[in-house]
Amino acid sequence: MPVASKIFEGYRALGFVSNHVPLAVRYHKKHKENYVVTCVGKSYHVYNVSKLGIVCVSDIHPDEINCIAVDSKFVFTGCKNVIRAYTRWKQLAFTYEGHEKDIRLLLPFGEHLVSVDADSTVKVWDMDAEVVYMEMTFNNSTFCVTTLMHPSTYLNKILIGSKQGKLQLWNIRSDKMLYMFEGWNAGITATEQSPAIDVVAIGLDDGQIILHNIKFDETVIKFRQDWGPVTSIGFRTDGHPVMVTGSAVGHMALWDLEQRKLSSQIREAHTTSVTGMVCMASEPLIVTSAADNSLKVWIMDMPDGGGRLLNQRSGHSAPPSRLRHYGNDGKNILSAGQDSTMRSFSTIHDKHYKSLGRASYNKSETRKTGLKKDKHMMPSVTHFVSESSRQSDWDNIVACHRGLSTATTWSYQRSTMGQHRFRHDRFNSPAIHDAVAQAVDISCCGNFTVIGYSTGHVDKYNLQSGIHRGSYGDPTAHNSCVRGVAIDGLNQVLITAGGTGDIKFWKFKDRKLLNCLQLKSQISQICLHKESSMMAVSQDDFSIMIVDIDTKRVVRTFHGHSNSITDMTFSADSRWLITAAMDCSVRTWDMPTGRLVDCFAVDLAVTSLSMSPTGDFLVTAHVDDIGVYLWSNLTLFSHVALKPLPTDFEPHTLAMPATSKQTSGHVDDGEDLTDEEDVTDFKSPQQISDELVTLSLLPNSRWQNLLNLETIRRKNKPKEPPKAPKAAPFFLPTVAGLEFKFAEAEADEDKGTSKIIKGKLKPLSALGKVLMQDAEDTNFDQTLQMMKKLGPSGIDIEVRSLEPDGGGSLELMSCFLSFICYVLTTRRDFELANAYLGLFLQVHGSLVAGEPTLVKELEKVNEVQKEAWHEVQDLFTQNLCLVNYLRTATI
């Protein structure tokens, strides 16, 4: 299987919290903490209830997860017709296969697991053996299973509810139905054990909540909610006799069981059906989830017994329409969704997520009426731009809305909608009252914003005061709708693009027209890279043109997309232009060569994309998908050979990232990863050319201070002599040096031998032995490797031991000069050879001057050194002259 993309690989998905699958809660005795498990498509998330901090993200499942259940050991997931059991949150322990249809319900039951599929086939599994212990089959036309629960204190019993409204009590050990409850002529949607033994709460699809005694088959209490079917039921166990029910419209009702009446309501708890609800044991907390991509914790501390929102974790409830990175660090991503909200996602950790609120004509009235019945909600954001330079002073985000001529401001630091609404008085005229703000940009200084309209008008506003600062053109900048506006990096030139293909360059301050460039096709959008002055222009014929705004000419043209282009973005160094289109492809164009270097396809078309300012991630949003997807840039981590792709290149589909980090997004385990076009990793040789001088890789501290060792010793000399401790510990004597060696034990002196010393006072040093050995072979590589291993003090000792009084000889000193000459001849380790030579002359200079043989060797070293350094010195002089000329000459 070929690699889909050489540059990008799926990393992870952001913005997913929950879906329609009900949540599950587990209490951890050791941590003394409740954990909630929510489903997010093909994986599940684990949060702690105390702070809703994410604890774990599961591995990717082959298909969508249909149901989740937990017990004290495992997390069970039903995916298609396969059940998986995970331990330690994400480690797969068991797999249960045997169902023919998709799994709908799961119930952990001691050492067994009860599962129900779409055909109402009930299987009881032995968890450890992974085999079916018992199987029951029901007919969907007469008894379609919808709920499953275990009544407390009922040994080996399960209570099964049906869509037809009947209940059956089964003994799974004897495989017998013990009793059938006739029901209440309405489908059963939820069942829950109450704190009272034998009493079960039953929710019906007509809104009734029945508290039924299953021991005597008697109804205790009946309630009815007017919000449609009952989707979830919970009971408080913190000393208050309260039952909580969820509805299909997102409301929650709190029922007082002692007074048998409705005690409180939590309206608009979610924007969709409350599918998951769990009351924490012995705590006044309720955790709820819904298909609106939110997880909420409610605390019951209101005076009327009601609850308030304590904590929440949420994402977009509708697909994002535009994405852009915020700031220059690449850590935060701004997203505008079709739900009229604006959010910030973090690539570092989920705890840095934040919501900037929902767009509203009147924020104060919205707070009073609530979000669900908000009559002041504005349409979704179609285009926005941000600038972080003045974020602490005033609003720094400007947004255009679908079908509106009003542009709104937002504050990233305060995480709220701003105070200004930019709309010119001319749009009050009936002739142009249907004008729409379509493009916007903010100056680099953060003081001004420019807005382009469908009527061809372009207005400039001050962001701090909200005052209109003039219009471009007389009366309009373009005769057609404005498809894009961009301000250069120096606030000197404003570029506007019209729908008919005309690009105009204006003086930003004076609002005078400087130049005009006419393209052949109509323009759909523009994207300016301010640092390089390169502007990408997408056209309706699916082509892309690169315009240099300095020369005001078209410098590149790209063809390849087969459908309308949705978004464009530049890399930080402007080397790549990355484009996305409705043909489900993402293409990377190389700007210097003008060729396509990478292309991959996705399952859902990309609606918006943004490249990180640091170049580490590409962020995408897709059609009918609420997630924000991160793609890692592989060129930052390894060598990637980017060869131009042919014009008829067919892209391969790249798998979408999941919420967990991925290591490989386009190949299967065990698959060969080699590519015929890939180039092997290049390894630099030890010396590029014999004509060049090559330095060593040793740190400067190993050779730079060899001539200053005496000065360093005097500075580091202790002020007082060391004092011996009273009880000094025993240490084995060691030899000084970088290698750890024990000193050899001294032999006992023979009292009968003579004490007169004959011959040399000191033995030959280790360096002397290696030098004598290498001098015979005329190859001093072994000597060089030994010197590299020594520290500055060790080198100083070895060099001093070369003289006759130190155990050496004149022949040994001549060998050392031959060693220096050899290293200089190879032109490698050049700085080491000069440092060793300087130390040698500093220590033995007077002795060398008096010995003719050593003087001749030193003259040879001098000639070799001059020859090696002469060419390099000429190159340095030539470059310095050239740089000096370019710096001072008048061009």
Side-chain angles (χ1 to χ4, degrees), residues 643-801:
K643 295 184 178 181
L645 300 178
T647 56
D648 57 348
F649 178 78
E650 290 293 333
H652 301 282
T653 301
L654 194 59
M656 298 288 288
T659 54
S660 59
K661 299 177 183 178
Q662 296 177 330
T663 56
S664 178
H666 47 254
V667 292
D668 295 330
D669 293 339
E671 188 175 351
D672 188 11
L673 302 179
T674 57
D675 193 353
E676 295 179 358
E677 297 181 357
D678 287 345
V679 181
T680 57
D681 293 339
F682 174 76
K683 293 184 178 180
S684 177
Q686 292 184 355
Q687 191 170 16
I688 299 176
S689 175
D690 295 338
E691 300 175 356
L692 302 179
V693 169
T694 305
L695 304 181
S696 69
L697 299 178
L698 291 181
N700 296 345
S701 59
R702 300 283 291 275
W703 57 268
Q704 203 168 30
N705 297 321
L706 287 176
L707 301 179
N708 303 320
L709 287 178
E710 290 296 333
T711 306
I712 296 174
R713 289 193 184 103
R714 286 196 299 268
K715 289 183 177 181
N716 295 337
K717 185 177 180 181
K719 296 180 181 180
E720 298 179 359
K723 296 180 181 179
K726 295 181 180 179
F730 172 76
F731 293 100
L732 292 176
T734 57
V735 178
L738 295 179
E739 296 183 359
F740 183 76
K741 293 182 179 179
F742 290 106
E744 297 181 358
E746 297 181 358
D748 295 335
E749 296 182 356
D750 190 357
K751 296 181 180 179
T753 59
S754 174
K755 296 184 179 180
I756 300 175
I757 300 175
K758 298 179 181 181
K760 295 182 180 180
L761 296 177
K762 294 182 180 180
L764 191 63
S765 65
L767 177 62
K769 295 178 182 178
V770 177
L771 274 173
M772 297 299 293
Q773 181 180 354
D774 288 351
E776 297 176 359
D777 303 333
T778 65
N779 188 346
F780 293 91
D781 289 340
Q782 187 176 357
T783 304
L784 179 62
Q785 296 300 323
M786 176 184 174
M787 295 287 284
K788 284 184 177 181
K789 294 179 180 179
L790 297 176
S793 300
I795 295 173
D796 182 69
I797 293 174
E798 293 291 348
V799 170
R800 291 181 184 275
S801 65

Side-chain angles (χ1 to χ4, degrees), residues 215-249:
K215 183 177 182 179
F216 300 104
D217 193 8
E218 294 180 353
T219 298
V220 181
I221 309 175
K222 279 188 180 182
F223 298 108
R224 178 184 291 273
Q225 62 182 22
D226 299 331
W227 305 320
V230 179
T231 57
S232 54
I233 303 175
F235 288 90
R236 291 181 60 180
T237 56
D238 58 336
H240 298 269
V242 174
M243 178 179 65
V244 187
T245 59
S247 65
V249 295

Side-chain angles (χ1 to χ4, degrees), residues 225-355:
Q225 62 182 22
D226 299 331
W227 305 320
V230 179
T231 57
S232 54
I233 303 175
F235 288 90
R236 291 181 60 180
T237 56
D238 58 336
H240 298 269
V242 174
M243 178 179 65
V244 187
T245 59
S247 65
V249 295
H251 303 323
M252 293 167 55
L254 282 73
W255 308 89
D256 191 323
L257 300 181
E258 287 186 349
Q259 301 182 7
R260 302 192 177 191
K261 67 176 184 178
L262 179 67
S263 63
S264 181
Q265 301 179 17
I266 303 178
R267 289 184 172 268
E268 302 169 6
H270 292 273
T271 57
T272 58
S273 174
V274 184
T275 55
M277 177 194 298
V278 174
C279 296
M280 296 294 101
S282 303
E283 292 185 71
L285 299 178
I286 302 175
V287 183
T288 61
S289 67
D292 61 355
N293 197 27
S294 65
L295 176 67
K296 299 182 179 181
V297 178
W298 309 85
I299 183 169
M300 305 292 108
D301 61 352
M302 301 297 288
D304 59 348
R308 60 180 176 87
L309 184 62
L310 179 65
N311 204 348
Q312 69 171 331
R313 179 68 70 89
S314 61
H316 282 295
S317 60
S321 57
R322 185 173 175 84
L323 298 173
R324 284 297 179 266
H325 278 87
Y326 180 82
N328 297 322
D329 55 1
K331 297 179 181 179
N332 298 308
I333 303 165
L334 272 177
S335 171
Q338 297 179 13
D339 53 359
S340 298
T341 62
M342 192 172 290
R343 296 180 179 273
S344 173
F345 298 98
S346 173
T347 60
I348 304 300
H349 198 274
D350 293 359
K351 66 181 180 181
H352 300 299
Y353 291 1
K354 66 178 182 178
S355 173

Side-chain angles (χ1 to χ4, degrees), residues 43 116 188 254 267 363 453 529 628 692 866:
S43 60
V116 182
I188 299 174
L254 282 73
R267 289 184 172 268
K363 291 195 298 182
Y453 298 89
H529 189 269
V628 175
L692 302 179
K866 285 184 178 180

